[in-house]
Amino acid sequence: TSPQQNTPPLSEVPQDSGSLSSKIMNITYELYVSDAAAGSRFYSLKKIDENGTTVINKNPFLDNIGVANGIHFFNQKLGFISITNASNGGLTFKQIKLKNTGDYDYLQIPYEDNGHYIMKVSKGSQSDSDTDYIIYRSKDLGQTWTKQ
């Protein structure tokens, strides 16, 4: 079967300001709002490359609603969207679970540092996330996280 079966044509894909994207080499991963209600959003993920556009995941937040705070793919396999990560190019995601966060509950998109992934966790999206945060480190491509 074609990966584009059962996906809406581009004219039906909402194109609003809530879209976020990450580009790696010649591939763009775009997280777009597929539905919204009462200030929360449902998202889908599409992949844009030389073969065109394909919706690759209609439920990257595992049935959770909210507002996405970011997306970043480090390569064609490893990507992060808000509180979820994928190791298979965005086909499936799993929720990032952290221990010992206390009042710190706002996960920022990780960055890479010498082969490790570093994630800042702050006290909500409105806090001073530049100075008031805790750090978690992953040595296994985001599968597990250790507080620093």
Side-chain angles (χ1 to χ4, degrees):
T1 62
S2 165
Q4 293 185 4
Q5 280 185 330
N6 300 320
T7 58
L10 281 182
S11 61
E12 293 178 23
V13 175
Q15 303 291 321
D16 78 344
S17 61
S19 296
L20 302 168
S21 64
S22 176
K23 187 168 186 168
I24 182 75
M25 297 172 32
N26 63 340
I27 299 173
T28 299
Y29 295 92
E30 184 176 312
L31 184 68
Y32 66 92
V33 177
S34 55
D35 198 4
S40 292
R41 297 179 176 147
F42 293 92
Y43 292 91
S44 293
L45 179 67
K46 64 183 171 181
K47 177 180 173 182
I48 305 164
D49 61 17
E50 66 274 358
N51 297 317
T53 299
T54 305
V55 176
I56 59 173
N57 191 319
K58 292 183 182 182
N59 189 13
F61 290 120
L62 312 169
D63 291 327
N64 292 310
I65 60 173
V67 177
N69 69 339
I71 177 175
H72 185 75
F73 274 78
F74 290 95
N75 55 48
Q76 293 180 23
K77 297 280 185 191
L78 181 63
F80 293 85
I81 299 176
S82 296
I83 61 168
T84 62
N85 71 329
S87 58
N88 59 5
L91 297 177
T92 58
F93 283 82
K94 72 176 196 171
Q95 186 169 356
I96 297 170
K97 297 188 188 269
L98 303 176
K99 296 179 182 176
N100 305 319
T101 60
D103 292 337
Y104 295 82
D105 60 357
Y106 187 75
L107 285 61
Q108 298 179 27
I109 297 296
Y111 60 92
E112 187 174 12
D113 181 34
N114 292 320
H116 296 167
Y117 294 89
I118 310 297
M119 183 184 336
K120 293 180 180 180
V121 182
S122 59
K123 292 181 178 179
S125 64
Q126 302 303 316
S127 71
D128 186 359
S129 60
D130 290 333
T131 59
D132 188 17
Y133 58 85
I134 54 179
I135 297 284
Y136 282 80
R137 178 183 302 269
S138 176
K139 298 178 182 179
D140 58 6
L141 302 174
Q143 300 302 305
T144 60
W145 296 88
T146 304
K147 187 176 179 180
Q148 301 297 290

